[in-house]
Amino acid sequence: MEYRKLGDSNLEISVITFGAWAAGGWMWGGTERGEAINAIKAAYDAGVTSIDTAPIYGQGLSEEIVGEAIKDIQRDKVQILTKFGMRWDLAKGNLAMHSKDNSGNVIDIYKYAGKESIIKECEDSLKRLGTDYIDLYQIHWPDTTTPISESMEAVARLIEQGKVRHAGVCNYNPEQMDEAAQYLNPVSNQVPYSMVKRDIEKEIVPYCIEKSKSILAYSPLERGLLTGKMKPGYKFGADDHRAGIYFFKDENLQKVNAFLEKILPIAEEKNASLSQLVLKWTFEQPGITIALAGARNSQQALSNAAAADIRLSKEEIDKITAHLNQLSLSR
């Protein structure tokens, strides 16, 4: 496993970081708690020391699962990354979406990052995680109803109190990052990035490289699209959020799978899966510090971790990118 520092901090995290959204079940068709816990433990044993979660993932369930999975691990040997700013239990801020919890109950989710809300969320997260500090505390989405100054000053207070070690942001543009930097030192920006979603290369990547900010790439496998396992006609469950996303239209599944066939020989030469090759390509891109990868079970967790051990030359990376540049998906 390879480890990289976040921004100009002394916090090192594994290039494959365990993404625990699916572990919470919400929007992923449910979860199996025991398998999720075993997946996190297996990942840790394989060198994945960093875990990214959030309160909204299963309305607290993901954080509880993470807490249970790491309870017997020496605290300074694991890095906990969690978030704040999405409330399902408080109707304030911007309505983000109507949804259902894991029990099928209707819930409304708001983007809200007011000071008192952040303080409460932090305390709740610490309890669920079974720890007294969070390594990286990230605002989940911009909240246009609360000044960035208020949100960042609340996090700065938590850092002063020792409850948070480092601050990060998610889904921020360069202007928002600049404003946040007036009140504390956000070391990272967690944003969506995959072979088929590369728009951050225009502004966010150059900005983060210039300002020495890390990029945490989420959904690098584009929610299963880039595994090569999804074929035209694939049927999603009723509560699976992927069902309505254009990536998964039959036409696009055909195009993506044709692209994956072109790079398959490189994967086979490395004795690697397509998923592993895609993950490796992702965190070798300029400005990308780590890739977040979720796993439903131990086997998937170990497969993700092994991506860090693949060796790709610059020529091989360029060859993959050249094939990729010819791919055009339909909206």
Side-chain angles (χ1 to χ4, degrees):
M1 184 56 61
E2 181 184 347
Y3 304 89
R4 296 177 179 174
K5 286 186 177 181
L6 290 191
D8 57 2
S9 76
N10 59 1
L11 177 62
E12 287 193 345
I13 66 175
S14 47
V15 289
I16 296 294
T17 289
F18 192 101
W21 178 11
W26 174 68
M27 294 180 72
W28 285 91
T31 189
E32 207 295 302
R33 189 185 187 104
E35 285 204 344
I37 289 169
N38 288 337
I40 294 170
K41 289 181 175 180
Y44 177 80
D45 289 340
V48 177
T49 59
S50 313
I51 308 163
D52 179 84
T53 182
I56 193 60
Y57 301 158
Q59 294 71 60
L61 180 58
S62 176
E63 286 188 327
E64 290 175 4
I65 286 172
V66 170
E68 186 170 344
I70 66 170
K71 66 181 179 182
D72 296 324
I73 300 174
Q74 187 175 315
R75 180 62 185 87
D76 63 356
K77 300 297 185 184
V78 64
Q79 301 83 47
I80 298 174
L81 290 55
T82 193
K83 309 178 189 77
F84 63 89
M86 292 198 83
R87 298 291 298 266
W88 66 94
D89 52 349
L90 180 68
K92 272 191 169 184
N94 287 318
L95 178 65
M97 69 180 85
H98 303 292
S99 187
K100 291 183 179 180
D101 64 18
N102 287 339
S103 298
N105 301 310
V106 174
I107 53 175
D108 287 336
I109 297 165
Y110 291 82
K111 297 175 184 176
Y112 180 61
K115 177 182 176 182
E116 297 307 321
S117 181
I118 294 171
I119 302 300
K120 178 192 184 320
E121 283 202 73
C122 184
E123 293 299 331
D124 291 346
S125 288
L126 290 171
K127 288 175 186 174
R128 287 190 288 258
L129 292 162
T131 185
D132 58 359
Y133 71 92
I134 294 162
D135 294 280
L136 182 70
Y137 204 36
Q138 310 158 93
I139 184 167
H140 207 146
W141 285 92
D143 166 23
T144 60
T145 70
T146 303
I148 288 176
S149 60
E150 179 179 336
S151 302
M152 296 303 128
E153 285 169 354
V155 178
R157 177 179 165 187
L158 292 169
I159 292 174
E160 289 172 4
Q161 294 172 344
K163 296 175 181 177
V164 169
R165 294 286 171 88
H166 302 280
V169 299
C170 302
N171 305 298
Y172 263 36
N173 61 37
E175 292 74 23
Q176 291 164 331
M177 291 187 73
D178 268 339
E179 188 170 350
Q182 296 177 34
Y183 306 99
L184 44 59
N185 177 30
V187 298
S188 59
N189 189 7
Q190 184 176 148
V191 287
Y193 181 70
S194 73
M195 285 180 161
V196 294
K197 188 183 287 184
R198 297 167 61 191
D199 49 318
I200 67 166
E201 293 176 357
K202 296 174 186 173
E203 293 185 359
I204 293 175
V205 168
Y207 173 91
C208 288
I209 291 174
E210 179 188 351
K211 302 287 187 177
S212 297
K213 306 296 182 185
S214 283
I215 293 176
L216 314 185
Y218 73 79
S219 298
L221 294 172
E222 205 52 66
R223 294 168 264 207
L225 176 72
L226 294 166
T227 63
K229 298 175 182 176
M230 305 184 81
K231 308 300 180 184
Y234 190 96
K235 299 297 182 186
F236 293 102
D239 55 349
D240 192 314
H241 73 285
R242 295 174 291 181
I245 298 176
Y246 76 92
F247 286 130
F248 301 98
K249 294 194 301 187
D250 282 357
E251 178 185 357
N252 288 334
L253 286 173
Q254 288 178 331
K255 290 179 178 179
V256 169
N257 287 335
F259 156 71
L260 293 174
E261 282 294 322
K262 292 178 182 177
I263 67 172
L264 181 59
I266 298 175
E268 291 176 336
E269 183 183 334
K270 306 293 179 181
N271 196 27
S273 68
L274 280 168
S275 297
Q276 291 167 335
L277 185 66
V278 169
L279 288 172
K280 180 69 174 183
W281 178 91
T282 301
F283 64 75
E284 290 300 334
Q285 295 308 295
I288 306 300
T289 306
I290 63 99
L292 289 136
R296 292 283 202 164
N297 52 51
S298 299
Q299 183 180 359
Q300 291 176 0
L302 292 173
S303 176
N304 290 340
D309 299 325
I310 299 172
R311 294 289 172 262
L312 284 179
S313 67
K314 182 181 183 301
E315 290 72 24
E316 288 168 327
I317 292 173
D318 289 346
K319 185 176 181 180
I320 292 170
T321 305
H323 286 307
L324 184 58
N325 289 340
Q326 296 173 358
L327 177 64
S328 177
L329 301 185
S330 303
R331 290 254 175 191

